[in-house]
Amino acid sequence: MGLKGFACGIAFSLFLAQGQAFAGKANDTLVYASDTEPENVSPYHNDAREGVILAHLAWDTLIYRDPQTGEYKPMLATHWQQVDPLTLDFDLRQGVTFHNGDPFTADDVVFTFNYVASPEGKVVTQQNVNWIKSAEKLGEYKVRLHLKQPFPAALEYLANPLPIYPGKYFQKVGLAGFAQKPVGTGPYRIVAVTSGQGVTLERNPDYFKDSPQGQPRIGHIQFRVIPDAETRLAELMTGGIDWAWRVAPDQAEQLKAAPNLTVESGASMRIGFLSMDAQGASSPDSPFAKAEVRQAVNYAINRKAIASQLMGGGSQPLQVACYPEQFGCDAKAVPGYPYDPAKAKALLKAAGYPNGFSTEIFAYRDRDVVEALIGDLRAVGIDAKLRYLKYAALRDQQRAGKVPMAFLAWGSFSIADASAATGVYFKGNADDVAKDPQVIDWLKVADTAMDPAVRKENYRKALQRIAEQAYWAPVFNYSINYAFTSDLAFQPYPDELPRFALAHWN
């Protein structure tokens, strides 16, 4: 929708809303909407940001990271100790119950970690769990975690994408049953999962009193799947929903004039990038198997224009395969690709494509960004035709080697360590489009070395190699625009995790 059309839409919505109170506060129900539905509500079995949000509402982790200070605090574990580089011991909190009434004990922690560390677990993002060897019960409320190798970022992961499941219940219902009727210990319990529509949650009245995030204050939460951005904004304006994000910069600016709405924005650690089929798996003569072609793509992209005009706010052009604020992500060590269409054309000619070539570009979000990228590529002779899929379908196609080029986004599960970004995509796993042995070796050292200086040096070498070979074309880090009813007290954080459990009505 253009600016004029959007302005008319706002005026019409305001007219409709004049005699209508925002329903959320009146019903003590926060309704939030997003464009993407997690393929499975089980946190270990999806890697969508919407799934991360639900995970932090319905489940707890052993450790809590304070979003204000970054300090690790006791959650389901009251104390932890690094016994040696391969061993972590945890004392567990007593008196906690799962949503179905089962008591939380060491058996649940042992089951969870042994399950997700096994092939049977089929965890979508292996980097989150593949450092775990096993868990051992030392007592009713004491657990020992064995690591496959030293993993200095262990606490960061334990505080984020590693929630604890109810062992007996999960084994009884299986993954399919758990996806429909999930159970956790978190501040909210999931009461309904409706495919294609969303998830309904209600406040957990038995949430443990000493939780570091306090008690939830909003009675009911509903997550609605609304793929179309214009529909989400119309629902927001008329009180159908209370909260939306990923609002386009021009629309966010105009929403600031709307009564009863608050607009917040800020940089996030989510990055957007083009992934290219460096192994040539998508076709026998894939142009992207040639480094010159991948380098040409990097020179063809006007990162600065895309970041400033389409993202706005705190978005910055990106040249490195991670978020610069993550540990080990040294953006200064990476040779950049300034916007240079003439150089891109020269590289294509040197690679044997003087007239360019045609390809497909896959995407699942940010159509306006992808269209801008397509325009930049077309200007140097690369005719990229868009294939727009749901995220899970795109990911599966790419892992099957059927995607020549894709625009992707990654939020690192809010983990402030390069292992959660570079390590996910370049360590030889299913999402690695390069399978570069040198990069893999450097990242294995970087992810496991206990000496921070050794970690930084190996990340630096890996990131330099990734940039020189142009396995990716990093584009920008996201700036997120949030729009929500002024009845809601909500604070966004750079890790792109909306903490609705900390929100309340004004």
Side-chain angles (χ1 to χ4, degrees):
M1 180 188 292
L3 288 176
K4 183 177 180 181
F6 180 64
C8 292
I10 283 184
F12 180 65
S13 297
L14 286 173
F15 173 76
L16 291 177
Q18 282 176 354
Q20 175 181 353
F22 280 75
K25 183 177 180 179
N27 294 331
D28 196 18
T29 301
L30 167 60
V31 182
Y32 74 95
S34 191
D35 57 351
T36 302
E37 178 183 19
E39 61 196 282
N40 189 319
V41 77
S42 168
Y44 290 103
H45 300 96
N46 77 80
D47 53 2
R49 175 57 44 163
E50 289 72 12
V52 175
I53 298 169
L54 291 170
H56 282 262
L57 289 171
W59 287 270
D60 290 317
T61 49
L62 291 182
I63 301 169
Y64 179 77
R65 189 184 68 191
D66 189 309
Q68 298 279 7
T69 66
E71 178 186 1
Y72 296 125
K73 295 181 176 180
M75 200 164 204
L76 290 180
T78 56
H79 181 265
W80 53 90
Q81 179 184 4
Q82 184 96 41
V83 178
D84 58 49
L86 297 178
T87 311
L88 281 164
D89 282 357
F90 297 90
D91 295 327
L92 305 179
R93 190 179 298 276
Q94 301 183 34
V96 177
T97 58
F98 285 96
H99 298 150
N100 64 348
D102 287 350
F104 162 74
T105 69
D107 292 328
D108 302 300
V109 179
V110 170
F111 165 76
T112 299
F113 290 152
N114 285 338
Y115 170 71
V116 300
S118 70
E120 176 192 359
K122 298 180 180 179
V123 175
V124 170
T125 304
Q126 278 294 307
Q127 174 69 22
N128 289 344
V129 299
N130 64 10
W131 50 277
I132 298 173
K133 181 180 180 182
S134 63
E136 174 189 1
K137 181 179 178 180
L138 300 181
E140 193 68 7
Y141 293 97
K142 193 172 183 66
V143 168
R144 172 162 289 176
L145 186 61
H146 299 281
L147 283 58
K148 291 179 181 177
Q149 62 273 320
F151 191 58
L155 295 184
E156 183 72 8
Y157 282 75
L158 288 164
N160 281 286
L162 298 179
I164 304 303
Y165 282 1
K168 287 182 181 179
Y169 177 75
F170 190 96
Q171 292 175 85
K172 177 182 177 181
V173 302
L175 178 57
F178 193 74
Q180 285 303 308
K181 295 185 177 180
V183 168
T185 62
Y188 288 86
R189 54 190 183 191
I190 295 174
V191 296
V193 179
T194 308
S195 179
Q197 297 183 34
V199 179
T200 302
L201 307 95
E202 64 182 25
R203 182 167 50 205
N204 176 10
D206 301 316
Y207 192 53
F208 65 96
K209 302 304 179 187
D210 295 328
S211 169
Q213 62 182 337
Q215 294 297 302
R217 297 170 63 179
I218 295 175
H220 307 273
I221 295 180
Q222 291 181 4
F223 164 54
R224 287 182 56 192
V225 181
I226 306 178
D228 182 67
E230 295 175 14
T231 304
R232 286 197 303 276
L233 292 181
E235 290 264 24
L236 181 67
M237 295 299 303
T238 56
I241 63 174
D242 303 295
W243 183 100
W245 66 349
R246 300 169 184 162
V247 179
D250 57 341
Q251 296 176 347
E253 191 61 31
Q254 294 196 47
L255 281 175
K256 291 177 181 178
N260 301 323
L261 285 183
T262 299
V263 178
E264 297 276 359
S265 63
S268 83
M269 63 189 299
R270 176 170 297 273
I271 61 175
F273 58 93
L274 275 175
S275 172
M276 291 173 278
D277 177 25
Q279 296 186 90
S282 58
S283 68
D285 57 350
S286 172
F288 300 108
K290 296 184 178 183
E292 294 93 342
V293 170
R294 301 192 301 270
Q295 291 164 353
V297 169
N298 271 272
Y299 281 114
I301 297 172
N302 191 342
R303 293 170 171 83
K304 185 176 181 180
I306 292 174
S308 63
Q309 297 173 20
L310 295 182
M311 288 291 109
S315 179
Q316 295 293 326
L318 189 68
Q319 298 278 358
V320 65
C322 48
Y323 177 59
E325 298 301 317
Q326 291 176 307
F327 178 90
C329 187
D330 185 0
K332 296 178 181 178
V334 172
Y337 290 90
Y339 178 50
D340 192 338
K343 192 161 188 175
K345 290 178 181 179
L347 282 164
L348 289 175
K349 182 177 181 181
Y353 300 97
N355 300 315
F357 59 88
S358 296
T359 186
E360 289 183 316
I361 180 171
F362 286 62
Y364 71 99
R365 59 177 292 167
D366 303 313
R367 188 183 289 268
D368 56 343
V369 171
V370 182
E371 289 173 350
L373 291 169
I374 289 172
D376 285 347
L377 294 173
R378 186 178 295 121
V380 300
I382 299 174
D383 182 19
K385 294 178 173 60
L386 176 60
R387 284 195 60 187
Y388 205 77
L389 305 176
K390 288 189 175 182
Y391 172 69
L394 191 164
R395 183 198 63 215
D396 292 346
Q397 291 257 26
Q398 188 165 45
R399 288 180 174 180
K402 299 178 180 179
V403 175
M405 171 188 280
F407 177 75
L408 303 172
W410 187 245
S412 295
F413 282 87
S414 303
I415 294 169
D417 192 275
S419 63
T422 318
V424 169
Y425 285 96
F426 289 100
K427 217 163 72 172
N429 52 16
D431 295 309
D432 187 350
V433 295
K435 300 288 195 304
D436 185 317
Q438 284 185 295
V439 172
I440 293 169
D441 287 346
W442 284 324
L443 289 178
K444 284 180 177 179
V445 175
D447 285 358
T448 59
M450 298 305 289
D451 185 338
V454 174
R455 296 192 72 206
K456 288 180 179 179
E457 175 62 15
N458 280 273
Y459 279 130
R460 183 190 62 78
K461 290 189 288 188
L463 291 168
Q464 281 185 339
R465 171 81 176 169
I466 291 166
E468 289 165 356
Q469 292 298 309
Y471 295 133
W472 272 10
V475 184
F476 56 79
N477 74 286
Y478 279 78
S479 181
I480 308 296
N481 292 313
Y482 304 84
F484 50 92
T485 170
S486 297
D487 285 337
L488 182 67
F490 168 81
Q491 180 177 350
Y493 292 93
D495 62 5
E496 199 192 354
L497 177 58
R499 290 171 168 83
F500 296 125
L502 303 182
H504 59 86
W505 302 115
N506 288 318

